[in-house]
Amino acid sequence: MQHGEIEPAFYKKLLKEMESWQAEGLLTPDQKERILARYRHIEEIEQKAGPGKLVTTISILGAVLVGVGVLLLIASNWSEIPRWGKLGIIFGGMLTSYSLGYVMRYERKNYPKVGASLILLGSIIFGAGIFLIAQIYNVTVHYPNGPLMWGLGILPLAYLLRFKSILMLALLALYLWLGMELSFHISHGMGGPQIILVYFMAGIMLWWIGFAHRGLESLRNISGPYILLGVAGTFISAFMLTFNIHRLKLWSLDLLPFYTALLVLFAAAAVLYALTGRKEAGWKVELAILSMLMAGVLFLAVLFPDIQAGGDGTWGRLIFNLLFAAGIIGLICLGYIRRYPPYINIGLLFFVLDVTARYFDFFWKLLPRSLFFIAGGLILLAGGMFLERKRRAVLESFKMGEEAI
Amino acid sequence: MRLKFIVLILVQVVLLAGIITYRHYWVTANERILLTSAPVDPRDIFRGDYVTLSYNASTIDLDQFGISEKFKRNDDVYAVLGKKDDGTYDIASVSRTRPASGKYLRGRVTYERDNATRREITLKQDTGAVRVFQRPWFTYKTGERVTFCLNADGRVMTVYPEKEKNPCRSGDPFTGVVEDIKTVKFSQIRVEYGIEHFFVEEGKGRAIETARNARNLKVEVALRDDGKGLITGLMLDGKWVR
């Protein structure tokens, strides 16, 4: 491994590890010093230039600001800039950003982080370009095509360069496209809950596509955006379904092509993960539950397309609330078994949101207003302290566990 | 790596250029027609730098065209266009199926309402002349004297009590006694044709909206044979905005 490719995060981890090796007698102080000498330049760079993460954050912020600036420049001088001028700014900005970024990161390697941000800026300008060109020529035909083109246009780049930032951008654009496209396919009534349910399925699909990436060594480092967006998307949609919307239709045969496509992609990811790569602890239970949820939605949508919760929708709501609570507990348990902090953090976040929402739903009418707020505040404070302690204890136990191994 | 990177960037350039080519082909291969823009509720006209355009075929009272069939959201609908004396086109009839000939706009239903109501108001002038007008709602009672401000097509734009002096800032006044008010129930659909937005620079939207509401705005559309249109320009008081 070349020294130039070593990340500061690795260096920090190495320092920590070596301390425990030294304590266990695996490493002599002299050996430790010799190993550290190999990576000393990273510490020097960190000291001189500031932490690598800070550079990345500042560069990404810079890329976003320049992107917004280009948009504003064109928008506020719409009449002064001729049509070819606007096109010149879009194409010129995009190509300059991409090529400068590529040279800085991969050829001269003098500013790899800034280079990466410039490539991200190129992807942002590409997306902005789609919408600006559509505006310049007043092409308003089927507007969901805009985010679709953006997402599909930058997705291959994310894979080629293994960029999590561009992958996240592509997935967000495609997630946005899904909602816009769905509104063109719903023929009856309020479409909101039907769209939420498809987002729920899409979240589960992304979640497991993330796992399929995690299983393959070559794609492991870009599995994060899929899993993060998938788990967050699944839980945000499920959280919405715990509210009082069950008098409305949740599914429709109009959306059958979407249900099927999401299920097929999910199944393909599941098979890929099951057949190849290394497995995570508890994956079979996780996959079984997610498969049941996906199949369940398709089953209900096809066999009972017109079913709606009777009366005031209390039963439907109760079932969804129980499922959601079970989902949160399941996610936290999985995070604990797998020693995977993001699951625990997301699980605890939705636990707090759920408790708060249900407190407002159920007790708002039952208690006098002042008592309601005092009791609510005390519950939240006590809950916050409990969760903070629990979370710390869990994360601490991971570290201790790791050290003991 | 370098070659693959260049190829992927070129694909993005081709995609962007594709939008321009697509639009260019659409505009050059199809006939351009002028449509009259309809007034819009002033509360919901300006969204950012877009001018929202509306047409007589944007909200369709199905009983006016003798249609009793039901429409669902996202259903296709065809607004058959007729040429007016001034050379512009306007809605002549509505069809669920694609017309065999003639010019038509193809749209999709965005909203359907089975229980819409409107008032039919009979107004009698002092001269004895009687006219029936239609309004979505009407707050006056029979026997009251009112002034209706009519636009060029004879539609009621605003209603005032007669005692108000010179109430009609635009349009012609029609004053009389309310003889009769009837409530008519009907089905209504709202239709989107993909030619409802036009992008302008900041500050220019107001003038275009005012002209649109006074009916001085015409929309040039490149119309494909399948009824899909694309805006190529606006004619504002006889001057082009492109």
Side-chain angles (χ1 to χ4, degrees):
Chain A
M1 191 186 275
Q2 286 176 358
H3 293 183
E5 289 172 15
I6 303 292
E7 290 288 326
F10 168 79
Y11 180 73
K12 277 180 199 156
K13 182 105 181 155
L14 185 71
L15 266 179
K16 221 173 177 182
E17 289 289 296
M18 282 201 295
E19 270 167 30
S20 59
W21 296 343
Q22 202 180 347
E24 287 166 36
L26 292 170
L27 199 68
T28 64
D30 180 47
Q31 284 170 325
K32 183 185 168 191
E33 198 46 45
R34 276 165 60 199
I35 294 171
L36 283 180
R38 282 171 72 96
Y39 305 110
R40 192 78 73 195
H41 70 286
I42 294 175
E43 196 176 21
E44 285 164 14
I45 291 170
E46 289 269 290
Q47 276 172 355
K48 279 183 193 164
K53 272 196 175 167
L54 183 69
V55 179
T56 308
T57 312
I58 289 175
S59 309
I60 289 178
L61 275 177
V64 172
L65 285 182
V66 173
V68 172
V70 171
L71 274 174
L72 286 178
L73 175 78
I74 297 179
S76 54
N77 297 291
W78 194 258
S79 55
E80 284 87 28
I81 307 175
R83 193 174 271 183
W84 58 264
K86 290 173 206 156
L87 293 178
I89 293 174
I90 295 165
F91 282 103
M94 183 177 113
L95 292 176
T96 309
S97 185
Y98 273 138
S99 32
L100 261 182
Y102 189 85
V103 169
M104 280 180 174
R105 187 172 172 86
Y106 297 104
E107 302 211 328
R108 293 203 186 150
K109 295 178 181 171
N110 47 356
Y111 295 101
K113 287 179 198 301
V114 177
S117 299
L118 281 173
I119 296 174
L120 174 68
L121 174 64
S123 302
I124 296 172
I125 299 180
F126 169 66
I130 295 172
F131 298 104
L132 282 173
I133 290 174
Q135 281 174 352
I136 291 168
Y137 292 103
N138 280 293
V139 182
T140 51
V141 185
H142 202 64
Y143 49 84
N145 288 349
L148 179 67
M149 191 188 264
W150 189 8
L152 292 182
I154 61 175
L155 195 62
L157 199 61
Y159 276 84
L160 176 70
L161 306 177
R162 299 284 192 273
F163 270 24
K164 281 191 266 189
S165 56
I166 297 182
L167 182 60
M168 196 55 151
L169 191 64
L171 294 180
L172 284 172
L174 292 174
Y175 224 49
L176 177 69
W177 161 78
L178 181 66
M180 288 164 83
E181 186 64 44
L182 283 170
S183 66
F184 279 79
H185 297 268
I186 292 167
S187 59
H188 282 290
M190 303 277 284
Q194 296 174 32
I195 293 177
I196 293 171
L197 200 69
V198 178
Y199 267 130
F200 175 71
M201 292 179 78
I204 294 178
M205 177 210 69
L206 284 179
W207 183 340
W208 215 263
I209 288 184
F211 264 80
H213 281 64
R214 215 170 148 77
L216 298 167
E217 202 52 53
S218 61
L219 297 176
R220 194 176 166 81
N221 63 342
I222 53 165
S223 62
Y226 280 107
I227 297 180
L228 192 68
L229 194 65
V231 176
T234 306
F235 273 83
I236 290 169
S237 321
F239 181 56
M240 288 179 182
L241 292 172
T242 63
F243 286 87
N244 192 16
I245 56 169
H246 292 272
R247 268 172 289 182
L248 304 166
K249 270 187 74 169
L250 283 178
W251 44 72
S252 156
L253 276 182
D254 295 336
L255 303 182
L256 193 59
F258 290 90
Y259 302 143
T260 317
L262 292 172
L263 193 72
V264 167
L265 284 171
F266 170 76
V271 170
L272 190 68
Y273 183 72
L275 293 179
T276 57
R278 74 176 196 223
K279 307 288 184 290
E280 305 283 338
W283 72 275
K284 283 183 185 165
V285 181
E286 189 175 4
L287 179 61
I289 292 171
L290 295 180
S291 306
M292 276 195 286
L293 287 171
M294 290 289 266
V297 173
L298 193 70
F299 175 79
L300 290 169
V302 173
L303 291 185
F304 307 98
D306 296 317
I307 202 167
Q308 257 170 291
D312 56 1
T314 310
W315 280 107
R317 201 175 164 209
L318 191 68
I319 293 167
F320 270 90
N321 268 285
L322 289 173
L323 280 175
F324 186 64
I328 291 173
I329 295 165
L331 191 72
I332 295 175
C333 288
L334 264 177
Y336 192 72
I337 293 167
R338 198 172 291 160
R339 296 161 184 268
Y340 190 51
Y343 273 15
I344 296 173
N345 292 336
I346 294 176
L348 289 179
L349 171 74
F350 279 98
F351 177 73
V352 172
L353 285 174
D354 197 32
V355 169
T356 314
R358 295 298 81 84
Y359 177 74
F360 274 88
D361 282 356
F362 292 128
F363 298 109
W364 180 257
K365 287 176 192 157
L366 298 179
L367 296 174
R369 210 47 48 90
S370 55
L371 198 63
F372 170 85
F373 278 109
I374 294 169
L378 289 175
I379 288 173
L380 283 182
L381 284 173
M385 276 170 68
F386 170 74
L387 287 176
E388 182 65 38
R389 277 180 57 189
K390 195 78 197 155
R391 188 171 162 272
R392 239 184 263 161
V394 168
L395 297 180
E396 201 57 43
S397 75
F398 285 1
K399 281 182 199 155
M400 287 181 46
E402 274 168 17
E403 278 165 19
I405 289 168
Chain B
M1 170 85 160
R2 190 180 184 181
L3 184 69
K4 285 181 190 166
F5 181 77
I6 292 172
V7 169
L8 289 183
I9 302 311
L10 280 180
V11 169
Q12 294 186 4
V13 172
V14 168
L15 283 173
L16 289 183
I19 307 175
I20 303 171
T21 317
Y22 172 71
R23 191 260 185 192
H24 182 75
Y25 176 74
W26 184 319
V27 170
T28 48
N30 294 290
E31 188 189 346
R32 295 191 212 179
I33 62 165
L34 275 178
L35 292 169
T36 310
S37 172
V40 175
D41 180 345
R43 277 165 301 181
D44 127 77
I45 42 179
F46 203 65
R47 295 197 307 183
D49 288 321
Y50 279 104
V51 176
T52 302
L53 299 164
S54 179
Y55 306 89
N56 286 334
S58 295
T59 304
I60 299 173
D61 297 350
L62 293 172
D63 65 329
Q64 305 270 14
F65 295 98
I67 293 175
S68 56
E69 297 170 82
K70 296 227 173 204
F71 281 85
K72 292 195 310 261
R73 209 168 95 186
N74 286 320
D75 272 352
D76 279 343
V77 59
Y78 296 87
V80 182
L81 301 171
K83 198 170 190 175
K84 297 201 295 187
D85 296 340
D86 62 356
T88 61
Y89 285 82
D90 206 350
I91 181 170
S93 64
V94 178
S95 167
R96 258 198 108 124
T97 50
R98 190 172 162 172
S101 61
K103 292 200 186 333
Y104 52 86
L105 284 171
R106 179 180 161 195
R108 70 178 186 102
V109 177
T110 55
Y111 179 75
E112 33 85 30
R113 205 169 144 208
D114 284 339
N115 55 353
T117 54
R118 67 166 167 266
R119 310 278 183 270
E120 274 186 8
I121 308 128
T122 312
L123 210 63
K124 189 177 180 185
Q125 277 186 315
D126 294 341
T127 57
V130 175
R131 264 178 82 173
V132 178
F133 295 97
Q134 293 181 344
R135 291 283 293 162
W137 62 87
F138 191 66
T139 53
Y140 299 91
K141 297 191 180 82
T142 44
E144 284 189 83
R145 289 182 69 84
V146 293
T147 298
F148 284 3
C149 303
L150 309 178
N151 68 7
D153 292 346
R155 291 183 193 215
V156 183
M157 284 163 23
T158 42
V159 184
Y160 294 95
E162 195 207 5
K163 58 188 174 194
E164 199 158 315
K165 283 182 184 167
N166 305 322
C168 299
R169 265 170 251 154
S170 62
D172 301 321
F174 188 97
T175 303
V177 178
V178 179
E179 286 253 296
D180 188 29
I181 307 166
K182 259 192 226 156
T183 303
V184 180
K185 285 192 176 170
F186 63 101
S187 294
Q188 190 180 58
I189 51 171
R190 224 172 280 157
V191 185
E192 204 176 74
Y193 298 95
I195 48 170
E196 282 79 10
H197 303 295
F198 189 76
F199 191 71
V200 288
E201 75 256 40
E202 284 172 27
K204 208 166 184 179
R206 280 290 157 209
I208 296 176
E209 284 156 21
T210 313
R212 177 202 57 205
N213 289 351
R215 294 235 155 195
N216 291 327
L217 182 67
K218 293 178 177 60
V219 184
E220 189 190 50
V221 171
L223 188 65
R224 263 186 352 204
D225 288 344
D226 66 352
K228 296 304 279 181
L230 201 138
I231 300 178
T232 47
L234 299 185
M235 193 190 261
L236 176 66
D237 287 329
K239 285 181 197 157
W240 282 108
V241 179
R242 288 191 199 269

